[in-house]
Amino acid sequence: MFWRELWTSYRGRLLGVAAAVFLILIYLNSGFWNMMFCALILFVGYTAGKYKDLDQGSLIPWKEIRDWLNDKWRPFR
């Protein structure tokens, strides 16, 4: 019961962290900078999962970037 509620409430975060841990295990060697990179991967996975859980849309504002690029570099002015 607890695990089902946890899964339904935090599915994105759990999947993001699980994917990050998987990537960490693949990448992991030894040393300080490697561990810092692993922490970065974990943070990005958690943050992407949190955005998914809260239905905040994409982590990267693709529409705004596309609109800005279209305004900046229009092929035929």
Side-chain angles (χ1 to χ4, degrees):
M1 186 74 156
F2 170 74
W3 296 108
R4 187 173 308 180
E5 291 177 21
L6 188 68
W7 178 254
T8 57
S9 297
Y10 301 109
R11 176 183 293 168
R13 292 179 199 174
L14 289 172
L15 289 174
V17 169
V21 168
F22 177 72
L23 290 173
I24 287 168
L25 290 175
I26 290 174
Y27 181 80
L28 193 60
N29 287 326
S30 63
F32 176 75
W33 292 110
N34 289 340
M35 289 304 297
M36 292 303 290
F37 183 73
C38 292
L40 176 68
I41 291 174
L42 186 63
F43 174 75
V44 169
Y46 176 80
T47 304
K50 183 178 175 184
Y51 271 79
K52 176 79 170 138
D53 283 342
L54 299 176
D55 290 327
Q56 292 182 343
S58 178
L59 191 60
I60 300 171
W62 294 111
K63 185 178 184 318
E64 288 83 8
I65 292 172
R66 187 194 66 206
D67 292 343
W68 180 77
L69 286 174
N70 282 337
D71 289 341
K72 186 76 173 168
W73 292 297
R74 297 188 79 173
F76 303 107
R77 285 191 176 190

